[in-house]
Structures are given as C-alpha cells and as structure tokens.
Amino acid sequence: MVAKEHSLPATSNYNVAKLLLIGLVFHVVYIGSVFDCYFTSPVVHGMQRHGAQTDGSTAAKRLVLIVGDGLRADLLFNVNAFPDIAGSPEIVAPHLRSIVEERGAFGISHTRVPTESRPGHVAIIGGMYEDVSAVTKVEFDTVFNQSRVTFSFGSPDILPMFSRGATPGRVKTWSYDEDEEDFTKDATALDVWVLDQMKTLFKNATKDTVLDAELRSDKVIFFLHLLGLDTTGHSYRPHSKEYMKNIQIVDEIVRETEHLLSDFYQDDRTSFIFTADHGMSTIGNHGDGHPDNTRTPLIAWGSGLRGPLPDSNPSSHDEYSEPWKLGHLFRRDIEQADIASLMASLIGIDWPANSVGVLPDVDPRRPGYLDTTTGEEAAARAAFVNAKVILEQYRVKHELQEKHTLFYVPFAPLAEVSVFNTAPQLVAIQTLLQEQKWELSRQACFDLIHESLKGLHYLQTYDRFLIKAFVTAAYLGWAVYASLYILRPSDNSSDSLVHATSTARIIKFASWTILIGFWVSFALQKRPWTFYIYIAFPCYFWQKFFLQASLFSRLRTGYAMEQFGSAFMRCLIVVFALLCMVIGYTHRSIWSAGFVFVGVFWPLFWTKGLLSQNLKTCILWGLSCLATAIFPLLPVDKSESLATIVTGGFVILFVGISSTFYVLRGFESDARGKKLASLFVVQNFLIAITMLITASSVKSLQAKQGLPTLNQWTGWIVLVSSSVLPFFSRVKGHTKYSKILMYFLGFGPCFVILSISVEGLFFVAYSVTLVAWIRVEQINRQSARLVKELNRATERSLSQAPPTTYQFHLDDLRIALFFLFFVQVGFFGTGNVASISSFYLAPVYRLIPIFNPFYMSTLLIFKIIAPYVMLSVTFAVLNDALHLPPFSLLLVALTITDGMTLTFFYQVQDTGSWLEIGQSITFFCIASLLLLWSAGICAGGEYLMADVISAGATSRSRKTK
C-alpha cells in the first residue's frame, strides 16, 4: 500500500546529506557510550602503597616469570595431546610435567577478553584488566616497577610497554628485531634467542662486578617472553606438528633456565612462574572469549611455593582436565590478574597500585600456591596486604565519586571507609592477626576483598542508569527523526507555520531547558565531555520530531483503515525480522534460513501469474539464494584447501567469461564493445595469473620453503593492479551490468590470493544473488497488485530525470530489510559471527611473511570490504531501476537499523564468562557501525555508478518527451 500522494514543493525542507552527516557523527560518538556505561578505566592515582613485610631470610630473593605467548592449557597438560601426528610423544613437555608431579603447584589461569598479548601481559604483570576503551592511553603500575631491577627478554611488541612507564633504569630489556617475526620461518628461533641472551647476561656478570652485584641483590625479576608459540600457532595452527615441537622447545628452555640460575646462584632462593598471556583457537587465532583462548596454563615452583597436594573432595578436576591424567593432584585455578599478587608476595615487594588480583591463598577453604609447611602466618599477612591494596583503591575512587557527584549514594557495606578514619574491617583483621588466628584472619580478608571488589564495581557502574537513559532516548529519537525524512510532514507547510506556533515555542523552551539543566549538572559534577554530547543528541532529535508532530495529522487523510492495518502488520514483520537478525549473531543458520525464505517462499506470495511470467528470473534468484545459504551452514573452522581455492578461481573465471559474452551482445560491432572486451580479457587474465601464483605460494609455504620473492612481488602487483583497474579505467560506454561485471572481475583476484577455502565460491554466489535481486525487485514493483496504485506516481516519476523527491511505499520496508540482510551476510557469510578473529591469517602470509599487524590487518579489512563493493554498485542500480532518488531506500533503513543496536546495547555484559562478555561488546559495535557502513555503501555505489545511472536517467527523460 502507498500513502496518498502529496503535492511536494520544488524545494524540500529535508536535506538528506545533512541527515547522513548527523547520523554518522551520532553513531560514531555513541559507540563510546558502551564503554562509558559498562567499561571504565580502573586506573586512579593517589593510593597509599602496601607490600608484604616478609622475612628477608625466608622470602625468595628473585623470581623468574616465563610466558609462553599463545599457549593453550590443554595442549601442554594433555597426555597424548597430538594424536593425529605420527610419532608424537605421550608427554609433550616432560620437564614441566615433572615439576607438576614432583615439585610445584598447577592450575588454569583464566584470561579476560580481549585475549590479546597486551591486555594479557598487563593482567599478569600489572594485576589489572585494562579498560578496552583506553588501551595504550593510561599508564599503570606493575610488579616490574616495584622490583629492585627487572631483566626482560623477548618481543619488541611487549617489552617496551613495561619499561616506558617504569622508574628509569629499573626495567632492562633485550628485544630482537621486528623483522625476525617471520611467519614463514621457524619461530622457535625467537625463543632460543631469548635463552641465549639470558645466558650472555650471566656470562657478562663474571666480568662485570656492577652487573654481578645487581644480579645478586634481592627483589630481582627475570622475564622471558617466548613468542614462538604464538607465531607458530598463527602459521600452522595449534594442533600442528610445528606447534607441538615449539612446546618441546619451550619445555627445554624452562629446564635450561633452571639450570642456568642454579649454577649461577648456588642457592634455592628462586621462584618460578610459568604461564601464558592467552590461548589459541583451532584455526590459529585469538582475541575473543572462546575457552580455547581464555584457558592458559599456570605452573609455580621454587622458593616460597608449595609442592604437589593430593586432590580434594569434591574433586578439583572436571571433564576438561580429565585428559591430563593428573586427577590425583590438586588443581588450583585462578584469574589472570591474581598472578601479579602472587609474584609480589613471593619476593616481598609493594603490590601494583591498581592491582585487583586476589592472592590464591586468601581463601582459607582451598589450598593456594604459597608454601605453608612452616606455618600459615605468611599467607595470613599476605592476605591482609591484599585486602588493604584493594580497599585503598575503593577509598580513593569513593572519595572522587563523592566529591564530583550530586546526591551521591555510597556503597552501603563500605560506607565508613574514608581518608579520616581506618576501616573497621581492617581493625578487626589486625586484631585477629595479633591473636594469631591465621585462618580466621584469612577468612576476614577474603570477605573484605570481595566486598571491596563489589564496591569498585559499584563505583565504576555508578552512572550506568543515567547513560542507559541517554542511549535509549537517543536511539529512539534518531529513529523518529529519520522517519521525518520519509514522511516529510512539513513539505506542504512553511517553516514559519512549523516554528512560530505557541506549541513550537513551548517545545523549544522545554528542550533547551532540559539540555542546559543537564549541562550545568555535568559541570558541577565534572563529568566527562562525552556526557555533554550524549544528552545533546536526544534533545535535538526529539525537539525536531515534536515540532512537526502536529503536522502528521494531515497524513491520516491519506490512509484508509485497511492501509493502517497493512502498515501495522508490516511493522510487526520488520520487528520480527530484526529480532531474527539479532539471533543470527549467535546462530549462523538464521542467515541460511533467511536466504531460503526470500529465495523460495517469498516469490510464492507474488500475485497470480507473476511467477509464471518471470520464471527464469525467479529460478536464477532462487538458485543463487540457495547457493549462498550454504555458506553460513559450513563450519567456521576451516583448513587451508588449495583445491577449493582453485575451484573458486575457476568458478569466478567461468562466471566472468560467461557474463562477458552476455553484456557485450549489443556491442559486437561497436568500438565501445571492443574496448570493453579488451578490458574484460585483461581482468580475466589477471584472475588466471592469480590462481597460478597462489597455487605456487601455498605449496611453497606448506613445504616450509618460505615465500618466494617472485611470488610475493607478483602477487602484490596483480592484487593491486586488478583492484584499482575498475576505479581508474578510462573505458567509456559502460552499461549498468557491464560496469557491475567490471567490479566483479576486479575483485576476483582478491578472493583467490586471500582465500583459505570457500571464500571465492561465496563471492560468486553473493554477487549473482545481488544482480538477481535487481531484476526481482523491478518485477515486484511492477506487479499487478501495485499497478493501479502506482500508475500515476510512476508516470510522474518517469517524467522527471532524475527524480528529486521520494514517495514512501510500505513495500520499501521490505527492500530496506533485504538490504540490511545483505549487509550482514557480506560480513558473516564465511566468518564466525562471534568475532572478527575468525577471519584467517594464513592467506596473508602469501603477501606479508613478516609480522606486521598494521599491514596484515589492512589486507584482512580489504578482503572484508570487497563484497561490499558489489553490494554498493548493485544497490545503486536497484535504486535507479525503481526510479527512486539517491539514498531513498537508505532513509528507510536508517529508521529501523538501530532496533538491533539498542537490543545489543542492553545485552552487553561486564560479568559472566569471557565468551559472553566479548561477544556482547562485539555485537554492539558491529550493529552500531551498521548504519555507518550502510551509508558508506550507498554513497560509494552512487559515486561508482554515477555515469551509467545519469545516462539511464537522461535516456528515460528523452523517451517521455
């Protein structure tokens, strides 16, 4: 159904460019709202420092921290961890295994998202979880900075961040060159280099008395960052023979490190901590909250640490640790930040100021990691320090919040904590310590620590309700504001009529009063500058909407009651479709079901005879949808398959050559046709060359012969030239479909050289479906059901070239939904919905063998963008084929997109499993960027297809004269 047609003025009051600009700014700004609401920086300053007062004769004099970057707990501990590798040993790390069984304590260190190297090391060494919105921006304290001196060896990506913020000269680093991080080489050399540098350090100490004295002092830390496992896992995946051998190398490095320190010091005053910053997914990636990425090993032994204990009742083990065959020994799991507390306790240094780690020994109900064979006093006093450190953070944050908040409500259980008095809980614990009631004091510390952590969470989420209110009002306000550009109530009214009434004055006064009132409140409370912007958007949106709300009454005359019923039903369908898309983020089969519905069932609802009259088009549409529906059903974990890559290349070639003959049928004797034919021949040739280069590179890399320089350079030349050719081609005379074909062939090489499996086949199916969509929508718009209602409007629109105003039809809601559906399928078609980490790194090594995060990420993003070039050009052609002004359908999409965004905002979690936390953030960010991305797609398509669209509009104009 369609609204009754209105006589529109020549100049509309609605500027689409203005709407898009406001929308872009609004959504970019409001992405930050999720972090202000759920994740704020834990770093504050001004805390009093606390440290364990250990006996110098019994505390460890030094500590060795060894981090196996990217090491999964199961692949270290499992018996027969690599069953598919011929000749693999039953115990892959015999030395570490012997420590677990004979000398040390072990368990799992649970990491948080993002499971990346920087936040993992910050948690281990700083005892805090970095605010994901302020990574690299905030300086933080670490156990390294509290040591007398730290000697660190390893990656140039990790070591500098702990030396820059430390006291000058306290953290000394030895790093290899970035070029050594070559994914095509044996990464174990990086780990061996670390051990060699440490050997050289001790050797130099025999000749350097200053260095020797420094090494023999107390409170010394050695940090060995072993990057090889992470590099090997990315290159060959964690279940590979290469990863297994790298674990064996790491095990040998641990053994030699022990012997090195034992020979040099000739004492037993060294503590050892072995762990990992994050794990590794089956496909060789990390970053999200999958358990394979969050479960890392922890082994602790040496001075001050207990030995193995018999398992408890109930057992400390579960199904995950059953393959370890360590069920007879007690497994003690901790959170990753707890490691910093453990290290500070072992060598008797001040704890990092912002540490939220809980010493495992605080809980008196379960054994921890400290050696309590000589008594529990040390554990009790360390627990007391732990309580004071976390309570001190609460005190400082409490005072800051109280100082800058109107009508502040303190956290009730800790309301008596202030700078002027001592917390009664601490006084009670001190009394228990004086009475030598060690277990009771530990229990009191345990309770106080968890109350303090709850208090910290309370303060960090203090403004959550207010921000949620802003966000809800803003996103709903955006929806109603964008709807004005569809219904255009003021186009028939003068601006003076809209803005000069008494009602309008009241609306303006109220909105400005609310805005200024909030701004004054924020100024008094010294709120972040983002709060001022957050409140400005909803005030603006709702003011604009209410100013024109009275004009909506005239639109009622344009609808019969049954039309309102039809509109209501379609709105329900829109809501249902959006909810299905939300579910699709966690259940990929939803996207496949969507293709089946739109490709098979939707045409069945067409008017009688329409299906039979357009049977060929419907068959193409249905088959292409069914083909594309296959890909979301395929497993996310894929292995490199040269056969599938080459098959995808051949299919791209076949479709390209077939389409070339089809689009050139009208140019056979035309000079323009010859130029286009030459262009398509060159593009098809580049695809063929890419297939040969990719096959050669894959074979060379799989044979561990490295990436041939000729292949690397040729690959770059072909990829760049094929990708830029469509944008800089000077061939004129394109039709709409020949230009679509040009972009399809231009990005064909991308989906050969950067594919690991079926991506090339997906690109073909997705592109064919988009082209079929254009024709299907043309047929549907011209269907018999709409002929009578659209006849006059169609004639009028065809008489204008190009059309300048947009007449909203309810059917446009469905087209906008289809567009949003294709936008998301373009991203999720071959990757995991849960995380961008599911996009494989292996194809990148065919172009960049040396570790370079920026360029590697750029290639991955380029691969993700490529399908959207096809969507942008086809959507521009569709918009023109329906004789609509530019961005018309986007306007409809703008009003409904944020239904998903708001849903995901309320689903964001800051507690629970790391998988749930990581996914919730990812989902919101993707949904928030959906509008920005959609607008970019539309703008890009209008620009890329401007010449053929304007030519088509001119041709239509001539025919109507």
Side-chain angles (χ1 to χ4, degrees), residues 24 38 40 119 127 153 157 160 211 256 298 328 349 450 459 478 492 517 537 539 552 583 655 751 892:
L24 292 177
Y38 294 98
T40 55
F153 311 85
D157 304 308
L211 175 60
E256 291 196 35
L298 174 64
H328 59 291
I349 60 175
H450 284 81
L459 294 176
W478 165 256
N492 286 339
F537 279 108
C539 287
F552 276 100
I583 297 172
V655 173
F751 279 91
V892 183

Side-chain angles (χ1 to χ4, degrees), residues 491-507:
D491 266 348
N492 286 339
S493 306
S494 65
D495 285 338
S496 59
L497 178 64
V498 175
H499 295 281
T501 64
S502 58
T503 302
R505 296 191 189 97
I506 294 173
I507 293 171

Side-chain angles (χ1 to χ4, degrees), residues 774 777-778 781 812 815 877-884 889:
I774 298 173
E777 291 295 355
Q778 283 181 298
R781 183 55 64 95
D812 293 344
I815 301 176
V877 172
L878 172 63
N879 205 70
D880 179 68
L882 300 181
H883 309 307
L884 297 174
L889 295 173

Side-chain angles (χ1 to χ4, degrees), residues 332-542:
R332 182 64 162 91
D333 292 1
I334 66 171
E335 306 296 339
Q336 193 171 49
D338 300 346
I339 298 175
S341 304
L342 179 60
M343 292 191 294
S345 296
L346 287 171
I347 57 176
I349 60 175
D350 285 346
W351 293 28
N354 293 105
S355 172
V356 293
V358 180
L359 187 68
D361 298 79
V362 170
D363 189 352
R365 297 166 296 180
R366 293 188 298 166
Y369 278 79
L370 296 178
D371 184 6
T372 58
T373 55
T374 58
E376 296 186 353
E377 179 180 358
R381 296 195 178 279
F384 185 46
V385 173
N386 199 164
K388 288 193 291 184
V389 167
I390 298 179
L391 185 63
E392 179 70 5
Q393 292 180 67
Y394 169 81
R395 181 190 64 78
V396 172
K397 291 186 178 183
H398 159 79
E399 291 173 358
L400 288 173
Q401 191 76 41
E402 184 178 34
K403 182 179 179 181
H404 299 301
T405 304
L406 298 176
F407 314 112
Y408 172 68
V409 179
F411 181 62
L414 299 176
E416 299 180 27
V417 176
S418 73
V419 71
F420 301 109
N421 68 337
T422 303
Q425 296 92 331
L426 292 180
V427 175
I429 295 172
Q430 286 178 318
T431 302
L432 292 173
L433 290 173
Q434 292 171 358
E435 296 173 356
Q436 299 186 0
K437 296 179 180 179
W438 312 126
E439 185 172 341
L440 289 176
S441 67
R442 286 168 63 193
Q443 182 63 53
C445 290
F446 180 83
D447 295 337
L448 178 56
I449 286 172
H450 284 81
E451 285 294 342
S452 300
L453 291 173
K454 289 179 182 178
L456 287 174
H457 183 265
Y458 171 83
L459 294 176
Q460 287 184 251
T461 61
Y462 191 84
D463 297 318
R464 183 167 293 183
F465 177 81
L466 179 64
I467 297 174
K468 283 184 176 181
F470 291 166
V471 170
T472 303
Y475 281 118
L476 293 178
W478 165 256
V480 297
Y481 175 65
S483 70
L484 296 175
Y485 284 72
I486 298 174
L487 301 175
R488 298 171 175 254
S490 71
D491 266 348
N492 286 339
S493 306
S494 65
D495 285 338
S496 59
L497 178 64
V498 175
H499 295 281
T501 64
S502 58
T503 302
R505 296 191 189 97
I506 294 173
I507 293 171
K508 289 182 179 180
F509 177 78
S511 62
W512 279 105
T513 300
I514 293 172
L515 178 63
I516 294 174
F518 271 109
W519 280 359
V520 170
S521 172
F522 295 157
L524 293 174
Q525 300 178 78
K526 297 184 179 180
R527 294 299 190 198
W529 63 269
T530 51
F531 278 45
Y532 295 83
I533 303 178
Y534 290 158
I535 190 59
F537 279 108
C539 287
Y540 176 79
F541 293 151
W542 286 104

Side-chain angles (χ1 to χ4, degrees), residues 262-276:
S262 178
D263 292 342
F264 184 83
Y265 290 110
Q266 298 292 317
D267 63 19
D268 57 356
R269 303 285 299 281
T270 306
S271 300
F272 292 88
I273 302 289
F274 177 84
T275 188

